Amino acid sequence: MTSVRMDKWLWAARFFKTRALAAKACELGRIQSNQQVAKAARDVRVGDVLQVKNEGGDFQVEVLLLSEVRGPATVAQTLYRETDASKELRIKVAEERKAMAQFEVMPAGRPSKRDRRVIIRFRGRG
């Protein structure tokens, strides 16, 4: 096997839970292959550098192996190698997010009836 579809590889490498989510991320431009926006049908080859943006963070990885089937997480981690800069950036962002949580003011208790109405209005349900 010399190449695999982008959405299949992202799914097999466990960046996304389903192929549909991987294809949607490609469609939205959240996946780049060698500094070019990648479509779901684009071929992934060994040695490609991918920029993957998902809810887990921004990953910059080098493709080491190809796979079309989703296996255990330990096998999926052998398909790619994350760059050192990417690891450092993700750790820094996680620490910043954790530090910002300390400054959030938590409500004292349950919302009042007036507060609930404001929340419902904000969510567009009423």
Side-chain angles (χ1 to χ4, degrees):
M1 174 179 352
T2 59
S3 65
V4 178
R5 281 178 57 104
M6 179 70 70
D7 57 347
K8 277 189 180 183
W9 189 87
L10 291 169
W11 169 72
R14 293 182 169 259
F15 283 104
F16 297 96
K17 289 185 179 184
T18 63
R19 273 187 64 195
L21 289 174
K24 184 72 168 178
C26 291
E27 182 182 315
L28 294 174
R30 294 182 180 154
I31 310 297
Q32 291 185 353
S33 177
N34 300 323
Q35 286 90 29
Q36 294 181 352
V37 177
K39 293 185 178 181
R42 182 185 177 110
D43 288 337
V44 176
R45 293 181 173 81
V46 175
D48 284 354
V49 177
L50 303 179
Q51 183 81 26
V52 180
K53 296 178 184 176
N54 64 9
E55 66 276 351
D58 293 349
F59 298 89
Q60 187 171 8
V61 297
E62 179 185 353
V63 178
L64 300 178
L65 297 171
L66 300 176
S67 177
E68 287 187 336
V69 291
R70 189 174 172 104
T74 54
V75 174
Q77 291 175 350
T78 63
L79 299 178
Y80 61 91
R81 180 180 57 84
E82 187 176 6
T83 62
D84 294 332
S86 174
K87 286 180 188 176
E88 292 172 7
L89 184 63
R90 279 193 314 107
I91 290 170
K92 181 181 174 187
V93 168
E95 287 174 355
E96 288 175 358
R97 191 177 311 125
K98 190 175 181 181
M100 289 304 291
Q102 295 174 354
F103 296 110
E104 283 187 27
V105 178
M106 296 300 289
R110 294 177 54 182
S112 66
K113 189 170 186 175
R114 181 178 179 203
D115 293 337
R116 283 197 314 270
R117 287 181 179 153
V118 170
I119 291 169
I120 290 169
R121 219 175 307 122
F122 176 74
R123 289 183 179 165
R125 295 183 186 163

Coordinates of all heavy atoms in Angstrom, one line a residue, residues 4 7 20 36 38 46 48 52 59 66 77 79-80 85 88 92 108-109 117 124:
V4 N -3.2 6.2 1.1 CA -4.6 6.0 1.8 C -5.3 7.3 1.7 O -4.7 8.4 1.7 CB -4.4 5.5 3.2 CG1 -5.7 5.3 3.9 CG2 -3.6 4.3 3.3
D7 N -9.3 10.9 4.9 CA -10.3 10.7 5.9 C -10.2 9.3 6.6 O -10.3 9.2 7.8 CB -11.7 10.9 5.4 CG -12.1 10.0 4.2 OD1 -11.2 9.4 3.6 OD2 -13.3 10.0 3.9
A20 N -16.9 10.2 8.9 CA -17.7 11.4 8.5 C -17.1 12.7 9.2 O -17.1 13.7 8.6 CB -19.1 11.2 8.9
Q36 N -0.8 22.7 2.4 CA -2.0 22.9 1.5 C -3.2 22.3 2.1 O -3.2 21.2 2.7 CB -1.7 22.2 0.2 CG -0.5 22.8 -0.6 CD -0.4 22.0 -1.9 OE1 -1.0 21.0 -2.2 NE2 0.5 22.6 -2.8
A38 N -6.3 20.2 2.6 CA -6.5 18.8 2.1 C -7.9 18.5 2.0 O -8.7 18.8 3.0 CB -5.7 17.8 3.0
V46 N 3.5 8.1 3.2 CA 4.6 8.1 4.3 C 5.5 9.3 4.0 O 5.9 9.5 2.9 CB 5.3 6.7 4.3 CG1 6.5 6.8 5.3 CG2 4.4 5.6 4.6
D48 N 4.5 12.5 4.7 CA 3.8 13.7 4.6 C 3.7 14.3 6.0 O 3.7 13.7 7.0 CB 2.3 13.4 4.1 CG 2.2 13.2 2.7 OD1 3.2 13.3 2.0 OD2 1.1 12.8 2.2
V52 N -3.3 19.1 11.8 CA -4.6 18.6 12.2 C -5.2 19.5 13.3 O -4.6 19.6 14.4 CB -4.6 17.1 12.6 CG1 -6.0 16.7 12.9 CG2 -4.0 16.3 11.5
F59 N -2.4 19.7 16.1 CA -1.4 18.7 16.0 C -0.6 18.9 14.7 O -1.2 19.2 13.6 CB -1.9 17.3 16.0 CG -2.7 16.9 17.2 CD1 -4.0 17.1 17.3 CD2 -2.0 16.3 18.3 CE1 -4.7 16.8 18.4 CE2 -2.7 15.9 19.4 CZ -4.1 16.2 19.5
L66 N 1.0 3.7 7.1 CA -0.4 3.8 6.6 C -1.3 2.7 7.1 O -0.8 1.6 7.3 CB -0.3 3.8 5.0 CG 0.5 4.9 4.4 CD1 0.6 4.6 2.9 CD2 0.0 6.2 4.7
Q77 N -1.1 5.1 17.5 CA -0.1 6.0 17.8 C 1.2 5.8 17.1 O 2.1 6.6 17.0 CB 0.2 6.0 19.3 CG -0.9 6.6 20.1 CD -0.7 6.5 21.6 OE1 0.2 5.8 22.1 NE2 -1.6 7.2 22.4
L79 N 1.3 5.2 13.9 CA 1.1 5.6 12.5 C 1.7 7.0 12.3 O 1.9 7.4 11.1 CB -0.4 5.7 12.2 CG -1.2 4.4 12.3 CD1 -2.6 4.6 11.9 CD2 -0.6 3.4 11.3
Y80 N 2.0 7.8 13.3 CA 2.5 9.1 13.2 C 3.4 9.5 14.3 O 3.5 8.8 15.3 CB 1.3 10.1 13.1 CG 0.5 10.2 14.4 CD1 0.8 11.0 15.4 CD2 -0.6 9.3 14.6 CE1 0.1 11.1 16.6 CE2 -1.3 9.4 15.7 CZ -1.0 10.2 16.7 OH -1.8 10.2 17.9
A85 N 7.7 20.8 18.5 CA 7.1 22.2 18.6 C 5.6 22.0 18.8 O 5.0 22.8 19.6 CB 7.3 23.0 17.3
E88 N 4.9 21.0 22.5 CA 5.2 22.2 23.4 C 4.0 23.2 23.3 O 3.5 23.7 24.4 CB 6.5 22.9 23.1 CG 7.7 22.0 23.4 CD 9.0 22.7 22.9 OE1 8.9 23.8 22.4 OE2 10.0 22.0 23.0
K92 N 1.4 24.2 26.4 CA 1.3 25.6 26.7 C -0.1 26.1 26.7 O -0.6 26.7 27.6 CB 2.2 26.5 25.8 CG 2.1 28.0 26.1 CD 3.0 28.7 25.1 CE 2.8 30.2 25.3 NZ 3.5 31.0 24.3
A108 N -23.1 31.4 42.7 CA -23.2 31.0 44.2 C -24.1 29.8 44.4 O -23.9 29.0 45.3 CB -23.7 32.2 45.0
G109 N -25.1 29.6 43.5 CA -26.1 28.5 43.7 C -26.9 28.3 42.4 O -26.4 28.7 41.3
R117 N -34.8 32.5 32.9 CA -35.4 33.1 31.7 C -34.4 33.7 30.8 O -34.5 33.7 29.6 CB -36.5 34.1 32.1 CG -37.7 33.4 32.7 CD -38.8 34.4 33.1 NE -39.9 33.8 33.6 CZ -40.8 34.3 34.4 NH1 -40.6 35.5 34.9 NH2 -41.8 33.6 34.9
G124 N -31.9 30.9 22.7 CA -32.8 31.0 21.6 C -33.9 30.0 21.7 O -34.5 29.7 20.6

